[in-house]
Each structure stands twice: as C-alpha cells, then as structure tokens.
Amino acid sequence: MNILFLVPYVPNLIRVRPYNLIRGLAARGHRVTVLAPWRTERDLQDIAILKTICHRVETVHLPTRQIAVNGFGALLTGQPLQAWHSWSPALLSLVNDCGPIDLIHVEHLRGAKYALALRESGLPVVWDSVDCITHLFRQAAAGSRSRMGQWMTRFELGRTGRYEGDLVKRFEQITVTSEKDRQALAELGGLAPEQAEHIHVLSNGVDLDYFKPDDSLPRQPNALVVSGKMSYHANVTMTLELAERIMPLIWAERPETTLYVVGKDPTRELLALGNHPRIVVTGEVPDIRPYLRQAAVAVAPVMYGAGIQNKVLEAMACATPVVTTPGAAQSIAAVDGQDYLIGQTAESFAAGVLHLLADPNFAGAIGRHGRQFIETYHAWPEIVCQLENIYDATVIKPKR
C-alpha cells in the first residue's frame, strides 16, 4: 500500500507507537509517507532517522506562537485544546504533494482535526485514538496530585467528552491500545456493542532487540526503579504516592533500599524527593535501559491512566521483575504471581517488592516469565500484522 501516516509530533524511540508501526509497515514493503510538525532540534535529528526508514518524510515547523493561536481557536469553538494543539494548515496542504495514497493513518486526539479534514478527500482514514482522553481526564480530575494537571483536566473534560463522542461516529476504523479505552469511546458515542465493531484494540509492542536483558550488567540487589516522563500528571501522582506511602513500608524492613526516579522534566515536587538519602531523581537520561537492567525491581504503582503502560512492558522485556497496580494490569493480560506482581494497596504493593528483594530466585523467575510474556504477546511484528488487517478492512468497507 501507499500509506500516508500523519502524526502530530515526530515519531522516535520515545514516541514508540507511531515509530514502530511506521518502521514495521516499511519493513513489510509498504511505501510509507510521514507528515509531522516539528518543534525542536531533537525533532530534526529524529526526522533524519525517519528518512532512512520511510518512502518520504515531509515536515513543517510548529512554533510556540502557532500553538498559542491554536489555543484561542479551541476556546472560540468550544473544542478541546488537545484537538487544536498541533494544527497546521501548512502541514495539511502538503498532502496534495504526496503522490498516490491508498490509505491515511492519523494518530491521537491531537491529530483529529487533520483526520476530519482528510476524510473529506474520500480516501479511507484510520484514526488511531491511542487512548480515550476523556477516560484519562475523568480519573485525573478526581485523583491527580498535580494542581495544574487537575485544573486543566477539569477544564477540558466536558469539551473533550463531546468531541470524542462525535469522533467515534466519523471514521471507518478506529484503533485504541486497550479494551477499557475501546469501551469508553463507545460509551461516549452512545454506541451499542454491534455499532462499535469498527473500534479495534491494537496494543502497544516492545522492540525486543532494543529492550532485552544484559547479563553483563549485574542487578543491584537493593535498587528499585520507577520511570516515565516526570512532568506528566499521572506519573507525578504515581511517584509521589510511591515515595510517601509505599517506600516507608519498604524502608522499615530494608532501609538500604534505594529508589531511582528516572525520566525527563521532573516537577518541583519530584525534584524535592531527591533530598531523601535513598531517593535518586535522575531527570532525563540518554538511555533508560541500564536503569531497567540493573534494578532489582521495577515499580509502577499507577494510580490512574489510560491505554497501556509502556513502562511496564519495557521493564518486563528487560527481564526485570515488575510490581504494579490493578489499574495498569487491566490492559496487560499477564498472570499475577507468574509474569509480574500486582499490589492492590500500599501494604500489598510493598509486600510484593519485599518478597522479590528477599528472594532473588523468585525474582529471577518472575523476570524470565515476564520476558517470555512480552515475546509472545507484545512483539511489534505481530501488532503490525494486526494493523494490516485493519487497513484491509478499511479499504474494502464503504465510508461511514
């Protein structure tokens, strides 16, 4: 196929979903043209990498002033800020220069305005919602520890729900990363189960050659790692809960345990955690893998969220034993006690971590089973094949 892939940010190893779908489609012989706005010098480096993979890559600069103008547009129309954030008429105009197109793939709520405009061309459009943002905002409005995150999600909640409810009825095929998000989108659109067959669960994968165990890096027996973008309100809430409620229970039995908080742009509250002698806040690191590979346990006490937790998948792929919460586990069909451990409460979460720290053989078995689970269910080549099937159905089915 000639596939036009429009993404509201430049795909890279951090924005794993579009990057690996694009790379997988290209590897399977499709001619993939990518359109994306860029903002930073790092984006330009990532664009150069994309050009070695894709048939064609076209980009336009999205300056901060344009994002501000877009924000006013959202306020005037009553639509979500997310839907307008990455809007660029100049980027949309590049579609006319992309040659023959069999299908258009547009990612995220930030790409929805593009998807709606391109739908008018008559070409088949797949909208990859990724997550149901309304579902995420409902949780954040009630439970975020970030004041700005809580205020913003409450402000956006109503308009986002109306917008997503309309979007689910506009496209031939829609993909999301989890069953929970599929159900949430269908409910927003007022769709009965038989009316929501066009909303598909397309999970995230892991690059199994990139995220893999490394026996040359021995595990640090008392090291825990929590990872993610540390300005994201859900990760802020998760990490504060971890430091304030769970770690004291662990330190009470193993005071030598050290927690590594790894991820870019930590907030002021998270930076302050670094004042504790047993908490290390790294900020952005050039490579997350050494932290995952050397940790005795990866911890992800996710309090709320949407989609699937890449931080859990990547740690499991590195054969690092993981302790997480039911909210994260509901999108990952692994077995508690075999592939990872689930802690419902602060006490049970801490107990799981302490069990792994006290029993290296048990921890090693959990890590190995976790890696096997990822190899079986979250390899990108299989997920790309699932996407091809959705593409085939999109091209064949008439426009909704």
Side-chain angles (χ1 to χ4, degrees), residues 292-321:
L292 296 177
R293 289 165 173 168
Q294 294 181 85
V297 182
V299 288
V302 177
M303 309 307 295
Y304 66 86
I308 195 165
Q309 296 294 325
N310 291 328
K311 60 176 70 68
V312 173
L313 301 182
E314 290 166 359
M316 292 172 71
C318 290
T320 304

Side-chain angles (χ1 to χ4, degrees), residues 6 22 25 42-43 46 75 85 95 120 127 186 188 202 227 284-285 299 317 345 357-358 370 382:
L6 197 153
I22 290 166
L25 289 166
R42 170 64 187 272
D43 285 343
D46 293 331
L75 294 174
H85 179 275
V95 173
E120 300 305 314
W127 177 49
L188 286 173
L202 185 75
S227 61
E284 185 173 7
V285 296
V299 288
T345 64
L357 293 177
E382 174 57 30

Side-chain angles (χ1 to χ4, degrees), residues 49-350:
I49 295 172
L50 278 176
K51 287 182 175 179
T52 68
I53 299 170
C54 300
H55 173 67
R56 185 173 180 178
V57 179
E58 297 289 344
T59 63
V60 299
H61 184 223
L62 184 68
T64 301
R65 64 178 179 276
Q66 180 62 53
I67 295 174
V69 170
N70 289 346
F72 282 113
L75 294 174
L76 289 173
T77 60
Q79 295 176 345
L81 294 172
Q82 288 273 331
W84 281 73
H85 179 275
S86 301
W87 175 247
S88 169
L91 184 69
L92 183 65
S93 69
L94 293 177
V95 173
N96 296 326
D97 301 323
C98 288
I101 299 170
D102 297 316
L103 178 140
I104 301 171
H105 181 126
V106 182
E107 183 176 282
H108 204 268
L109 183 59
R110 290 188 176 187
K113 274 180 63 64
Y114 294 106
L116 290 171
L118 292 169
R119 185 177 179 276
E120 300 305 314
S121 69
L123 290 168
V125 175
V126 170
W127 177 49
D128 185 9
S129 170
V130 185
D131 306 327
C132 176
I133 303 301
T134 304
H135 173 56
L136 173 64
F137 282 0
R138 284 172 178 164
Q139 300 170 78
S144 176
R145 292 282 298 274
S146 166
R147 291 181 181 178
M148 178 58 72
Q150 192 172 82
W151 179 87
M152 182 58 72
T153 53
R154 287 177 176 175
F155 175 77
E156 282 278 271
L157 183 55
R159 62 182 67 210
T160 303
R162 291 189 294 272
Y163 197 72
E164 287 189 315
D166 179 62
L167 288 174
V168 297
K169 296 176 281 190
R170 295 290 198 100
F171 298 105
E172 295 89 343
Q173 305 291 349
I174 298 170
T175 54
V176 291
T177 56
S178 78
E179 177 61 28
K180 186 68 176 178
D181 292 86
R182 192 192 75 82
Q183 293 174 3
L185 279 180
E187 290 172 5
L188 286 173
L191 303 181
E194 65 273 12
Q195 297 173 307
E197 294 179 352
H198 66 298
I199 307 176
H200 306 272
V201 176
L202 185 75
S203 185
N204 275 356
V206 182
D207 185 335
L208 296 173
D209 293 324
Y210 188 79
F211 289 99
K212 61 184 178 181
D214 185 348
D215 293 335
S216 69
L217 295 175
R219 300 278 178 189
Q220 298 179 23
N222 295 300
L224 310 181
V225 62
V226 60
S227 61
K229 185 180 179 183
M230 290 300 166
S231 60
Y232 175 46
H233 53 83
N235 287 338
V236 173
T237 300
M238 169 187 71
T239 306
L240 290 175
E241 290 287 323
L242 172 63
E244 295 172 5
R245 299 187 60 221
I246 298 171
M247 289 308 301
L249 301 175
I250 295 171
W251 284 321
E253 292 196 29
R254 297 183 72 100
E256 68 278 19
T257 304
T258 298
L259 173 65
Y260 290 85
V261 179
V262 184
K264 65 181 296 188
D265 302 329
T267 63
R268 183 165 46 190
E269 300 97 321
L270 297 189
L271 287 171
L273 296 178
N275 294 326
H276 191 287
R278 285 296 181 178
I279 298 179
V280 178
V281 182
T282 68
E284 185 173 7
V285 296
D287 192 342
I288 185 67
R289 293 173 297 172
Y291 292 91
L292 296 177
R293 289 165 173 168
Q294 294 181 85
V297 182
V299 288
V302 177
M303 309 307 295
Y304 66 86
I308 195 165
Q309 296 294 325
N310 291 328
K311 60 176 70 68
V312 173
L313 301 182
E314 290 166 359
M316 292 172 71
C318 290
T320 304
V322 173
V323 183
T324 189
T325 45
Q330 68 180 354
S331 300
I332 303 172
V335 178
D336 181 21
Q338 173 181 292
D339 305 315
Y340 57 8
L341 300 185
I342 298 173
Q344 175 79 48
T345 64
E347 290 76 15
S348 62
F349 195 100

